[in-house]
Every structure is written in C-alpha cells, then in structure tokens.
C-alpha cells in the first residue's frame, strides 16, 4: 500500500491529516463520465480521502467503476476506500474498505484485507466505537449528525456522543451526516479528525468549487477553535 502517512505518527494505517475531508460518492442520476468528472474536480479541490459507495451495481459493474475511480485517486495520491465490499477492494487493490454495522464484521474485514490496508467502520455509540477499534478499525465514521438526503438509512447521533467517541478511542474519528459549509460550526470543540460529506460535494453544480469552499470553512472553524 502507498504510504500516505510517511513521516506522520499514527495509530493504525491512516493519519488524522488524511482524514481531514472525506468524500463519500453518490452516482445517483449521473452519467458515468459526469460522475468521474465530479470525482476528479473534488480531488483537485482538496478532498483527502475518498470512499466509493455503490449499493445498486453488480459486482462486475462495481469493479469496473472502482478501477476507473482508482486511476483518478492515484493521480492525486489520495486513498480509495471501497464501501462494504471487501471482494471489490481486494480485486482492484484499493487502499481500504469501510464497513457499517450491518456489513461484514470489522475483525473479518481486517483478516481478509491484511494488516497494511485501511479498514474503517461506522459507529453510533461509544460501545460500538470501542469494539470497532479493538477489532482492528483504523478510523471511525460517526453519525448521522444531521438528517441526510442519501438513500442510506440514518440514525442521528448527538454532538455530545461524537465527542465521547473521540475521547474513547485513539484512532481518528470523523463526523458524517448532512454536513455542509453552513452547519459544520456545530462541530467546533469536538476533537474529530475531519468531516465526511456526500451531497455537499456530489450534488453541487461545481464539485471542485464546493470542495474548496467546504475545506476553507472547515479549516477556519478549526483555526478559531481555542479548545484544540
């Protein structure tokens, strides 16, 4: 695996710096060419880690799209994470996989992916977070903080619970769920590594501009957060 954490002290296979702006893709209603253009524009805009999420595609279709996305992410030195499908991640030699509470257990995903790949997990409680860390997760996606417009079923997580999770485990934790440049201020004071977004970038008219604006706002919020 490409060493995305060279020179940075980390716990696991991913650094907090890499987790700063995590894009989860959504190809709904987009032609493949437009989708790939949006992905590349987002990477140009500053996305630091990217998850390809496809719930409806066949295994072959998922692999074919993942191969094309991986070619783009490698140009920018950004890790590609495959949602849910360990087989697809292994088949295209992606940098990692992300599993939810109803997906493959973290410890099995870790066993299949090996020690050098990134394994992320979705958690909503401190208990789930501790278990995911103990089973081998490198990072956590915590939420949803706000209701989302994606097709994924969401259960809201409070900012207080997010803070408790961050303080309970040594691996990076990111907030996810309905976040955009106008509401991320609610995360000020919470020791998260970064934010995960879908619609704020994927549904923007210009995903590159949207990414830059979001990253600028997030960095501003962090720079004015005196609790850090």
């Amino acid at each position: 695996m490409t060493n995305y954490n060279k020179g940075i002290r980390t716990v696991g296979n991913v650094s907090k710096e890499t987790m700063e702006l995590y894009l989860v893709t959504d190809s709904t209603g987009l032609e493949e060419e437009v989708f790939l253009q949006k992905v590349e524009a987002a990477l140009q805009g500053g996305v630091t880690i990217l998850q390809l999420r496809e719930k409806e595609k066949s295994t072959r279709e998922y692999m074919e799209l993942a191969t094309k996305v991986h070619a783009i992410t490698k140009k920018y030195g950004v890790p590609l994470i495959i949602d849910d499908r360990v087989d697809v991640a292994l088949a295209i030699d992606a940098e990692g996989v992300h599993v939810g509470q109803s997906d493959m257990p973290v410890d099995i995903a870790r066993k299949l992916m090996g020690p050098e790949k990134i394994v992320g997990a979705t958690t909503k409680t401190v208990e789930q977070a501790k278990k995911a860390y103990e089973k081998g997760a490198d990072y956590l996606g915590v939420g949803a903080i706000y209701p989302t417009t994606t097709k994924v079923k969401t259960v809201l997580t409070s900012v207080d619970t997010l803070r408790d999770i961050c303080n309970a485990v040594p691996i990076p934790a990111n907030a996810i769920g309905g976040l955009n440049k106008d509401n991320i201020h609610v995360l000020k004071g919470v020791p998260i590594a970064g934010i995960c977004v879908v619609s704020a970038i994927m549904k923007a008219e210009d995903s590159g501009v949207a990414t830059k604006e979001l990253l600028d706002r997030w960095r501003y919020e962090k720079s004015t957060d005196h609790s850090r």
Side-chain angles (χ1 to χ4, degrees), residues 123-214:
T123 61
K124 300 180 183 298
T125 67
V126 171
E127 182 180 358
Q128 289 176 356
K130 288 181 176 179
K131 183 176 180 180
Y133 166 63
E134 291 167 359
K135 296 294 185 180
D138 292 303
Y139 74 83
L140 305 176
V142 183
I145 306 302
Y146 290 103
T148 71
T149 58
T150 65
K151 293 181 179 179
V152 179
K153 293 182 180 179
T154 57
V155 176
L156 297 186
T157 300
S158 71
V159 173
D160 285 340
T161 297
L162 173 62
R163 180 182 292 104
D164 290 342
I165 287 173
C166 291
N167 291 328
V169 295
I171 55 177
N174 272 33
I176 188 171
L179 298 171
N180 57 57
K181 65 183 178 64
D182 296 321
N183 63 23
I184 55 176
H185 62 275
V186 301
L187 302 172
K188 184 175 290 190
V190 183
I192 54 175
I195 53 175
C196 300
V197 299
V198 187
S199 299
I201 291 175
M202 294 305 301
K203 291 189 176 182
E205 184 174 346
D206 187 322
S207 56
V209 171
T211 300
K212 291 176 182 177
E213 291 178 348
L214 183 61

Side-chain angles (χ1 to χ4, degrees), residues 51-67:
Q51 179 190 137
L52 180 64
R53 183 165 69 187
E54 293 291 340
K55 299 295 186 183
E56 308 296 331
K57 292 189 184 302
S58 68
T59 299
R60 184 180 294 272
E61 290 171 336
Y62 203 164
M63 285 178 56
E64 289 175 349
L65 182 61
T67 299

